[in-house]
Amino acid sequence: MCLGIPGEVVEILTDRQDLAKVDVCGVRRAINIGLLADEDVRPGDWVLIHVGFALSKIDEEEARAALDFLEGLGKAYQDEMDALRDSRID
């Protein structure tokens, strides 16, 4: 099962404006924000991430509720977090 996971944008990469560094429960990774080019994504914003792409901006309350729900899924959530830890965008 693949899940969309909320992450908080911590940095827009200056050399690649289509990439942002996000924090997902302490795991920091670069993700592609190109699909949100019209959304004015900035540090502090929350985005919903799937397979390395930000699909939409969400508010912090929605992000917290989604994280609480996902943590309750157990193995599916843990598998997704493991995949995120092992992922890289170059």
Side-chain angles (χ1 to χ4, degrees), residues 2 5-6 11 13 24 31 33-34 49 51 53 56 84:
C2 292
I5 295 182
E11 176 186 0
L13 302 183
V24 179
I31 62 157
I33 57 171
I49 305 161
V51 294
F53 288 86
S56 63
L84 181 65

Side-chain angles (χ1 to χ4, degrees), residues 63-78:
R64 297 281 176 217
L67 285 170
D68 289 345
F69 172 77
L70 292 170
E71 288 172 0
L73 292 177
K75 182 168 175 23
Y77 173 73
Q78 190 57 50

Side-chain angles (χ1 to χ4, degrees), residues 2-54:
C2 292
L3 305 172
I5 295 182
E8 183 177 10
V9 176
V10 294
E11 176 186 0
I12 305 297
L13 302 183
T14 56
D15 59 334
R16 294 275 313 264
Q17 294 294 307
D18 61 331
L19 297 181
K21 190 167 285 190
V22 296
D23 183 295
V24 179
C25 299
V27 177
R28 289 188 176 206
R29 288 289 177 267
I31 62 157
N32 189 301
I33 57 171
L35 295 173
L36 303 180
D38 297 333
E39 297 284 332
D40 190 31
V41 176
R42 298 173 183 232
D45 287 342
W46 286 85
V47 293
L48 190 62
I49 305 161
H50 179 65
V51 294
F53 288 86

